Amino acid sequence: MNTELDLEVGFNSILQGFGLSKELAHILWLPLPMLLVLTAALIGVLVTVWLERKISAAAQQRIGPEYAGALGILQPMADGLKLLVKEDVIPAKADSLLFTLGPILVLVPVILSWLIIPFGQNLLISNVGIGIFLWIALSSIQPIGLLMSGYASNNKYSLLGGLRAAAQSISYEIPLALSVLAVVMMSNSLSTIDIVNQQNSFGFLSWNIWRQPIGFLIFWICALAECERLPFDLPEAEEELVAGYQTEYAGMKFALFYLGSYINLVLSALLVSVLYLGGWGFPIPVEWVAKFLGQNIDAPLIQVFTGSIGIVMTILKTYLLVFLAILLRWTTPRVRIDQLLDLGWKFLLPIGLVNLLVTAGLKLAFPIAFGG
């Protein structure tokens, strides 16, 4: 049953009301999704950077930014302006083409991945049937950009950082894909919309985190490693590699790495909320809310309520996870590179395989509870 608003249909209907043809209205709609994605990603970065500074200050009993705007809320914009006007330096013996392409290859796949994130039944940019694996495919492009940046810098620290990034990504992509595969198996679909719908039959009790607690932990650990967040920021470990693959970068090229890192963090938190926390789903079934308000499930009031509450719930769940990731960064020590690789290959990979096999067995034994 469709109880959500459809942005594209509504936009096209408004334009056709002004006398435009259906084809022209569709053409005018096409650039809007990408603009919405860029806007959402940039706002997400600004909020996350501010949270990072404030939470880290609280953890260390400091004040944090407070002069650039009320409570320091304009500090991320000040950081961006500083990086925008800084001189863009390319090392004399670096490969200038690869040096420039590296940060672009890091950022573009992360932004494209936002196309599959749903904030409601129809509140997403592209409902492709293989949405979740499309994200995995796009995320595998990022290490190429990191390795390219390290190699092109003509710097041994940068090269080591790029190699570490590639090794780390390969180590953690496999258990991450296995944890996603267990969710896909229960949902019988690769679509992010279908995965969320499968979790919203009984409110929060039907969320995947209860049926896939091991998969949730594996996915969250691998997501932090993919984002190179502490305790997994070995590619840019400052006491060993100066700044890793970023060592020779300045100005806007460095800002692209900075943007990519934070956009990827918010994206990973969004995907965790979609896969394991019911996405846009309210903890109480919508049917109960409609009955309490004395409205039909198809009533416009309920449609507006479910559309609005879907966006709010998705953002709340996402920033709860972002808050957890920031706390982990400022309260846990960095692991060694051998410990990081051992965790991925010797622990998470076999546990992910066992979790997948157990999920398959439970799906056959209890089809009602595990999506048979």
Side-chain angles (χ1 to χ4, degrees), residues 56-371:
S56 63
Q60 299 170 358
Q61 295 185 334
R62 297 183 290 106
I63 297 175
E66 59 177 350
Y67 295 110
L71 300 176
I73 57 174
L74 297 181
Q75 188 63 49
M77 298 182 68
D79 293 340
L81 183 61
K82 178 190 74 173
L83 291 170
L84 185 65
V85 299
K86 282 189 72 173
E87 183 181 4
D88 182 17
V89 179
I90 298 179
K93 295 186 178 180
D95 187 318
S96 59
L97 177 60
L98 297 182
F99 190 82
T100 303
L101 283 177
I104 298 173
L105 269 182
V106 170
L107 182 63
V108 170
V110 178
I111 293 178
L112 288 177
S113 299
W114 279 65
L115 293 171
I116 65 161
I117 300 297
F119 290 87
Q121 182 74 36
N122 293 302
L123 295 175
L124 83 165
I125 306 303
S126 177
N127 184 16
V128 292
I130 55 169
I132 198 64
F133 273 12
L134 176 62
W135 165 68
I136 293 176
L138 287 170
S139 67
S140 65
I141 298 174
Q142 190 178 26
I144 300 174
L146 300 178
L147 186 58
M148 185 184 295
S149 302
Y151 171 77
S153 296
N154 193 33
N155 179 303
K156 61 181 180 181
Y157 298 115
S158 300
L159 179 58
L160 283 172
L163 290 171
R164 280 187 175 188
Q168 181 169 320
S169 177
I170 293 169
S171 301
Y172 283 85
E173 270 184 3
I174 300 173
L176 182 143
L178 289 174
S179 63
V180 169
L181 197 56
V183 172
V184 168
M185 185 185 297
M186 292 194 308
S187 305
N188 300 311
S189 174
L190 294 169
S191 167
T192 50
I193 293 289
D194 294 339
I195 290 172
V196 174
N197 282 334
Q198 185 258 349
Q199 300 177 69
N200 285 331
S201 52
F202 300 104
F204 77 97
L205 293 176
S206 58
W207 292 354
N208 281 335
I209 190 171
W210 311 120
R211 291 175 290 183
Q212 285 287 313
I214 303 299
F216 168 77
L217 289 174
I218 292 173
F219 188 95
W220 183 237
I221 292 170
C222 292
L224 290 177
E226 289 278 314
C227 297
E228 296 168 12
R229 300 281 301 182
L230 265 166
F232 305 113
D233 66 335
L234 273 299
E236 49 189 89
E238 65 274 2
E239 73 271 17
E240 303 169 24
L241 303 179
V242 186
Y245 55 83
Q246 304 178 34
T247 301
E248 299 292 348
Y249 282 88
M252 276 309 295
K253 289 191 178 72
F254 175 80
L256 293 182
F257 285 124
Y258 195 75
L259 272 174
S261 172
Y262 279 99
I263 291 176
N264 204 11
L265 175 62
V266 179
L267 174 69
S268 298
L270 278 166
L271 284 165
V272 173
S273 71
V274 165
L275 291 174
Y276 296 98
L277 301 177
W280 67 80
F282 197 57
I284 302 172
V286 175
E287 291 79 6
W288 294 8
V289 177
K291 186 176 180 181
F292 177 78
L293 295 175
Q295 297 283 331
N296 190 294
I297 191 83
D298 296 321
L301 175 63
I302 298 300
Q303 284 194 337
V304 172
F305 172 79
T306 52
S308 304
I309 205 69
I311 296 173
V312 172
M313 291 306 301
T314 305
I315 293 174
L316 278 178
K317 294 170 185 175
T318 298
Y319 275 95
L320 176 64
L321 293 164
V322 168
F323 174 76
L324 179 60
I326 293 171
L327 272 186
L328 285 172
R329 173 179 179 178
W330 295 99
T331 54
T332 53
R334 180 184 291 124
V335 299
R336 297 196 313 266
I337 184 65
D338 60 311
Q339 293 172 330
L340 178 136
L341 296 177
D342 282 349
L343 177 65
W345 289 109
K346 296 182 180 179
F347 292 93
L348 295 183
L349 178 57
I351 292 172
L353 282 169
V354 171
N355 180 66
L356 185 61
L357 290 173
V358 170
T359 302
L362 291 171
K363 182 180 172 71
L364 294 173
F366 307 101
I368 295 177
F370 288 86

